[in-house]
Amino acid sequence: MSLVQLSRLSHGFGDRTLLKDASFSLAAGDRVALVGPNGSGKTTLMRLIAGHMEADSGQVVTPRRLRVAYLPQTGVAHAGRSLYAEADSAFAEGHALADAHAEVTARLEQLSSANDRELQTELSRLHEVQEQIESSGYYDREERIHRVLQGLGFREDQFGSDCSTFSGGKQMRIALAGILLREPDVLLLDEPTNYLDLETRDWLLEYLLSYRGGVLLVSHDRFFLDSWATEVVELFAAGLKRYKGNYTRYEQRRAEDLQQLMADYERQQDQIRKLESFITRFRYNASKAKLVQSRVKELERITPIELPEGFRPIKLRLPAPPRSGSPVVELSSISRSYQGENGAELKVLEHLNTEFERGEKVALVGPNGAGKSTLMRILAQRDQGYTGALSWGKDVRIGFFSEDLLEELPAEASVLSIIEEAAPTAVQPAVRDLLGAFLFKGDDILKPFGVLSGGERTRLAMLRMLLRPINFLVLDEPTNHLDLVSKDVLLQALRDYSGTVVFVSHDRHFLESLAGRVVALEPRPNRAAEVRNYPGPYSYYQRRCEAELRDAAGMPRATPSSTSPSPSVATELGASAGEYQRQKAQKAELRRLERTAEASLTGLDQLEGEREKLESRLSEPEVYTDGEAVKEIRAAMQRNEAQQIQLTEQWEQAEHAAGELRKELGL
C-alpha cells in the first residue's frame, strides 16, 4: 500500500517549471534515493510531500493520520532545553498518552463499584490508552534516546548541555535525532550526511537499513547511496523517472538510456559543424550560392538535441604546478596541546613523526577530536602553537582549503572576477572554459560571491586555488556541500594534479578514488592519538583495520594483505619516444587530409564551371530546338550533379577527420 502518491504534480517559480505532471509513489519499506542536478527541484519536491508547500496543480495523496517527518538541508536551531530534553520532546505523543493514563487512573480511584457502567467505560479507556502507550515505545524511550544520540556522535556528558551551545552541524544532528526518535511513517531526509563524519554515517546507514517506514533521501555520498538505496528516482526536465537498484546501477541504466541520445547528439553536432563550415567558407562565393543556400535551408530544418545538464562531457585542463623538492615536508616530534574546559592541558598531538613525498595523494583519517584539523592547520602554517619541527623541501608552495576560509573572499566580487584575478596570464583566455568545467555556466559567472550556495563557494575556492602556482594542497573537507557531479569534477582535477595533496574527507568514494596512502590518527586512552601509516588506498587501510579487529576478538583472519600494492612505473624515455612517433604519424595524416579537402574544393569549382557552361548551352536556339542535343546535355548535367555530391561528401569527411586530428594535436 502506498503511503504517498503523487498524481500529475506540477509546480514552478515565475517562468521556471520544476515539476510538470510528475507522478510517484512511496510505500512502507521503500528506500528511495532522489537524485538530479542542482536546482532541479529536489528540495521543492520534498517540501510539497511534507505539506510545507502547495503545488500549482495535481495532488499529493496520503492516508489519514500519516506521520511524515522532513529534515531540511540547513536552518534548524534549538535552544532553551538540554540536549536530552530536546530528544525527549520527540515522545510528545507518548507523554500525552501517559498524562491521559494518569487522568483515567485518578477517575477510577474515585468511582465506586455501584456505578458499574461508568466503571466499565473508564476501564475500557484505560486499556486502550495502555495499549497505545506500549505500541508507541514510550517505556523504552530512555534506551532509544541514548542509542540515537550516541550513534549520532554525542557523548553522554553532553546530554545535560543546553542545545544553544552546539555548533550548526551539531544542531542538524539534533534535528535528525528528533526525527528518528519519532519513527514516522515517512522519512524525508534532505542531505542528512552533510554534517556527519564517517562513523556517524555508518551508524545512520545501519539505522536506515532496518527502518520499517518509507524513506526518500537526498545525499551526495555515493558509498551511502550504493549501500542503502534499493531504488533511485531521478528528477530531470521537470519529470520523475524511477530506476530499480542502487546508485551505481542507476548510473549504468542512465548511461544506457543516454547512450543513444549522446550518439544522436554527436552525429547532429558533426552534421551542424560540416554545414556551418561549408556555409562560412563559401558564403561570399557567387558561383556556389545555390550550394550554400541549400545547406542554409538544411541547417534551419535541424531541431537541436539538448543534452541533460550534468551529462555533458567535461574536459578539464589546469596549469601544471611548479616542481617541489621531495619529501615536501618532514614532521619531527610534533606536539600540540590546548587548554581544557577545567583548566587541564588537553594533548591533541604528541611526538608525531611522518613525512609527505612529492606527488602523493594522502588521506588523513581518524575519529572526531583525534587532531586531524589541528594537523592540517599546522601543515598549512596556520597554527604556530606546536612544538617539534617541520622540515620543508625546496620551493614548496602551500595552498590551504577549509570552510572557515571561504569567508575571506570578498562577498561583492563576481565569480568571474575572482577567477580572473587568480589565473596566470597564460590561462586568462581559458578562464570561462575552466569555470564551465567547474559547473559555472551562463550568467552564473556574474553572480557575487556572497549569494553563492555552499557547494558553489567550495567549487569556486577550489578552482581559484588550483589555478595558482601551488604544489602542496592541504584540503580540509573539500567535498562538503558538493553534489555528485561537482565531486566528480573535483576528483578529476585532483587526480590529474601533479603536486602533493593531503586531505580530510568523510566521503568514502572520494577517499577510495583519490588516496594512494592513508595516515591514521588512532585514539589512545588518556593520551594523544597514535599516528599510523598505511601505504595503500583506503580499501587497504580498511582491510588492515578489519584484520586487527578480528585478531583482537580472537577470530580467524582472512587472507592477509601485509604489504601495500606497489605502483608500476612506466619508462618515461620509451613513453616519450612512442608519443613522438604517434604524433609524427598523425601530422602526416593531417597533411594528407588537408590535401584531399583542397582537391575536393578544386574539383567542385571545376564542376560548377562546367555546369554553368551546360546551362548556357541549353539556352542556345540551335540546341533547345534539337531534342537529341537537349537529352545529351541534361544527362551531362545529371552526371555533373552526382559528381558534385560525391566531391562534397569527400570534402566533408576529410574536413571532419582533419578537425578531429587538430583537436587531438592541440592545433
Side-chain angles (χ1 to χ4, degrees), residues 630-641:
V630 169
K631 186 177 179 180
E632 288 178 3
I633 290 173
R634 284 180 174 167
M637 290 176 68
Q638 286 177 349
R639 290 193 298 272
N640 181 285
E641 184 177 356

Side-chain angles (χ1 to χ4, degrees), residues 144-427:
R144 288 175 56 198
I145 288 171
H146 278 74
R147 179 163 61 92
V148 170
L149 288 180
Q150 289 176 337
L152 290 174
F154 294 101
R155 303 188 311 273
E156 194 161 351
D157 61 7
Q158 295 176 308
F159 286 9
S161 301
D162 191 282
C163 289
S164 62
T165 63
F166 292 100
S167 66
K170 289 292 179 69
Q171 292 280 354
M172 295 307 299
R173 294 192 192 193
I174 295 170
L176 177 58
I179 286 174
L180 298 180
L181 287 168
R182 286 201 293 275
E183 290 194 337
D185 304 305
V186 172
L187 272 176
L188 306 172
L189 304 177
D190 198 352
E191 301 190 28
T193 57
N194 265 4
Y195 300 97
L196 305 182
D197 56 24
L198 284 169
E199 290 75 17
T200 49
R201 287 187 192 202
D202 288 345
W203 180 88
L204 179 63
L205 174 61
E206 292 299 321
Y207 189 96
L208 293 181
L209 282 171
S210 60
Y211 200 79
R212 291 174 295 181
V215 185
L216 181 66
L217 177 145
V218 175
S219 176
H220 298 144
D221 186 323
R222 190 185 301 260
F223 177 85
F224 193 98
L225 295 181
D226 270 345
S227 303
W228 173 79
T230 56
E231 294 179 85
V232 174
V233 169
E234 181 190 52
L235 175 52
F236 169 70
L240 296 172
K241 186 170 182 179
R242 200 161 191 155
Y243 295 82
K244 291 287 185 184
N246 63 10
Y247 187 81
T248 294
R249 179 58 182 149
Y250 151 74
E251 281 193 314
Q252 293 167 349
R253 292 281 304 279
R254 190 70 171 97
E256 292 166 8
D257 289 350
L258 284 167
Q259 189 173 12
Q260 187 59 50
L261 180 64
M262 288 290 290
D264 293 343
Y265 174 81
E266 291 295 340
R267 191 159 43 247
Q268 187 183 78
Q269 290 300 304
D270 186 41
Q271 181 186 10
I272 290 170
R273 280 193 297 269
K274 289 177 181 177
L275 291 171
E276 289 178 341
S277 177
F278 192 92
I279 292 166
T280 301
R281 186 154 190 167
F282 300 113
R283 182 182 296 276
Y284 303 108
N285 189 326
S287 66
K288 294 185 173 54
K290 290 182 181 178
L291 288 171
V292 169
Q293 191 59 37
S294 68
R295 281 156 178 77
V296 169
K297 290 179 180 178
E298 187 178 348
L299 192 61
E300 289 172 348
R301 287 194 296 267
I302 293 175
T303 302
I305 296 171
E306 289 293 329
L307 283 183
E309 187 67 32
F311 291 96
R312 291 181 176 86
I314 296 170
K315 294 182 180 178
L316 181 63
R317 289 183 180 177
L318 292 165
R323 186 179 176 87
S324 71
S326 189
V328 174
V329 62
E330 292 182 81
L331 289 76
S332 302
S333 197
I334 297 295
S335 298
R336 182 67 166 98
S337 299
Y338 295 96
Q339 190 85 9
E341 293 180 1
N342 57 2
E345 183 184 38
L346 177 63
K347 292 183 178 180
V348 179
L349 302 174
E350 188 175 16
H351 303 303
L352 183 152
N353 297 286
T354 191
E355 64 181 26
F356 300 101
E357 301 289 341
R358 182 179 60 238
E360 278 195 306
K361 310 293 193 298
V362 182
L364 193 61
V365 303
N368 280 355
K372 300 188 298 295
S373 292
T374 298
L375 178 55
M376 299 289 273
R377 293 183 67 81
I378 290 172
L379 287 172
Q381 298 188 319
R382 296 273 176 154
D383 185 340
Q384 301 293 334
Y386 61 90
T387 60
L390 298 181
S391 300
W392 294 96
K394 185 180 179 183
D395 297 328
V396 174
R397 300 177 186 177
I398 305 167
F400 179 46
F401 174 85
S402 170
E403 280 192 47
D404 299 339
L405 303 181
L406 294 178
E407 302 306 320
E408 295 180 5
L409 289 172
E412 69 282 357
S414 71
V415 168
L416 180 60
S417 65
I418 287 172
I419 297 305
E420 284 181 333
E421 180 272 330
T425 303
V427 180

Side-chain angles (χ1 to χ4, degrees), residues 16 28 39 62 158 203 303 328 355 455 490 513 527 561 620:
R16 187 179 178 204
T62 60
Q158 295 176 308
W203 180 88
T303 302
V328 174
E355 64 181 26
L490 177 59
S513 301
R527 294 184 63 188
S561 178
E620 295 173 0

